[in-house]
Amino acid sequence: MADPVDLHVADLHPAVDDPALNSMNFLNEVAQHYPDAVSLAAGRPYEEFFDVAALHRHLERFRRHLADDLGQSPAQVRRTLLQYGRTKGIVHHLVARNLAVDEGMTVDPEAIVVTVGCQEAMFLVLRALRADPRDVLLAVAPTYVGLTGAARLLDLPVRPVRGGPAGIDLADLREQVRLARAAGLRPRACYVMPDFANPSGTSIGLADRRRLLDLAAEEDLLLLEDNPYGLFPASDAGRPPTLKALDTARRVVYLGSFAKTVLPGARVGYVVADQRVAGADGTVGLLADQLAKIKSMVTVNTSAIAQAVVGGALLEHGCSLAAATVRERAAYGRNLRHLVDGLARRFPAGTSPVRWNVPAGGFFVVVSVPFGVDDALLHRSAREYGLLWTPMAHFYDDGAPVDALRLSVSAVTPDQIDLGLDRLAALVADEMARRAATADVG
Ligand SMILES: Cc1ncc(COP(=O)(O)O)c(C=O)c1O
């Protein structure tokens, strides 16, 4: 006899059965099921750049920093590295230096909370902002699924704002704020990824960044700026300053990740939350301190050992991750150009209905095809063509079919890109023929 069940999903938080929370598991399972398929799905860093020996070097570099630069005694060093630690983190001063060096941002280290990946940073901010059942989050669509999933766990509805080729449709943002308020809702913030967004690959230009900040001030809206890919422009043209660097009115909460620039296994990210928060007793503190209270009940503190590894990596390069990732930037840029050129060769303009965008950097390209792209097609692509990609429908919250897929260039070589694109071309040709045949019969 089968074991009786003890609990029903229906009795758990509804988020556990939500597509947003199942998305990553589903994609991982497909990938595990077809280990030999070429993966243009994974947005992971290129593993050949990982170096186990660097861990020891970074730890030792950070230990010396504690002793020599901060004057800690051996007992203090031991405590800093091995004991429960400061909730807001122990590499906050190095993160602030990094933001100054790489982004031209002046940030008070006290306004930084070092988190367990950017994912925890998003969770803390959303937890803090969601204060009332009328609260909603606006997010540029398509949206990173980790953001949507975190919002679900917090019972915070996400309302989409049109992204479009310019990265954000500002008129639609204004309209969505108006519609939400007219419905009695409180839009607490808008989530944006101005640099080489995941999944769209789009970036927001300088003029629109300024307009977005103006709009946020006019509408009294916070902006959540997520920037894991900003250090990977595909050319020397660079990119505009971050929203946070342009922010003179503390409108922007900045979310950072070391997953793509140092190593994902460390699980270290951070949030810059310099907003001033008035307490009931009239005292004024930083939003970062409120986030730290939440963090103390979620992860207590970010692993000191993981922070030390990241801290050592920062110190080794004068706190410049741009300097630390020269090799990565070159490889990802080369791959992105290779992918876009390869698409153009296989799907010639004029004869092919397949379209794609040409991002200025980052890991991702969106390819539009003349047929629906769903999980069943992904399975078929993996099984019959040996190719993995991500259905764009996973990045929209409404479950509607989307005729597009996301390709990622971060975890592959140019040869694998060629192989993957050959397989994609075969899949697209067969799918179009199949649909044409069905239409004829119909
Ligand atoms: C846009 C975006 N935000 C956040 C994250 C999560 O970062 P972390 O690994 O630091 O939690 C990712 C990871 O892929 C991402 O693409």
Side-chain angles (χ1 to χ4, degrees), residues 117-119 122 144 191 193 198 226 228-229 257 259-260 267-268:
C118 178
Q119 186 66 31
M122 295 191 294
Y144 174 57
Y191 171 82
M193 227 181 298
N198 177 12
D226 189 4
Y229 304 102
S257 170
K260 311 299 186 304
R267 302 302 304 126
V268 180

Side-chain angles (χ1 to χ4, degrees), residues 364-380:
F364 309 108
V365 171
V366 176
V367 178
S368 303
V369 292
F371 45 81
V373 175
D374 57 13
D375 291 350
L377 186 67
L378 170 60
H379 266 295
R380 216 151 62 70

Side-chain angles (χ1 to χ4, degrees), residues 279-299:
D281 59 359
T283 56
V284 176
L286 292 171
L287 177 59
D289 291 308
Q290 306 300 330
L291 299 182
K293 286 190 221 166
I294 301 171
K295 180 176 171 64
S296 73
M297 291 296 145
V298 181
T299 55

Side-chain angles (χ1 to χ4, degrees), residues 290-321:
Q290 306 300 330
L291 299 182
K293 286 190 221 166
I294 301 171
K295 180 176 171 64
S296 73
M297 291 296 145
V298 181
T299 55
V300 183
N301 61 248
T302 302
S303 157
I305 296 165
Q307 290 185 74
V309 170
V310 168
L314 284 166
L315 288 161
E316 187 166 292
H317 297 276
C319 286
S320 171
L321 290 174

Side-chain angles (χ1 to χ4, degrees), residues 24 43-44 115-122 143-147 191 193 196-199 226-229 255-260 263-264 267-270 363-364 406:
M24 285 192 199
R44 299 154 167 249
T115 52
V116 181
C118 178
Q119 186 66 31
E120 190 197 15
M122 295 191 294
T143 310
Y144 174 57
V145 73
L147 184 276
Y191 171 82
M193 227 181 298
F196 324 131
N198 177 12
D226 189 4
N227 187 19
Y229 304 102
L255 303 162
S257 170
F258 294 111
K260 311 299 186 304
L263 75 167
R267 302 302 304 126
V268 180
Y270 61 92
F363 290 4
F364 309 108
R406 187 195 75 175

Side-chain angles (χ1 to χ4, degrees), residues 71-118:
Q72 293 192 3
S73 67
Q76 286 172 317
V77 168
R78 208 169 56 211
R79 186 176 310 132
T80 304
L81 290 177
L82 305 181
Q83 188 53 280
Y84 285 111
R86 182 176 176 273
T87 313
K88 288 201 286 184
I90 57 170
V91 295
H92 52 305
H93 56 300
L94 301 179
V95 174
R97 227 185 283 166
N98 164 245
L99 290 173
V101 173
D102 283 341
E103 307 289 354
M105 281 188 216
T106 307
V107 169
D108 175 2
E110 285 301 322
I112 293 171
V113 183
V114 183
T115 52
V116 181
C118 178

Side-chain angles (χ1 to χ4, degrees), residues 167-224:
I168 186 167
D169 180 333
L170 292 169
D172 191 51
L173 172 58
R174 201 182 284 281
E175 178 63 3
Q176 293 306 326
V177 172
R178 193 190 65 74
L179 284 173
R181 288 188 176 143
L185 303 172
R186 307 197 311 174
R188 301 306 316 271
C190 180
Y191 171 82
V192 288
M193 227 181 298
D195 291 303
F196 324 131
N198 177 12
S200 70
T202 56
S203 297
I204 301 176
L206 179 58
D208 273 355
R209 290 181 195 220
R210 292 192 196 285
R211 285 188 205 109
L212 176 56
L213 286 164
D214 290 345
L215 194 157
E218 285 157 28
E219 297 290 350
D220 191 18
L221 198 65
L222 283 174
L223 299 173
L224 310 186

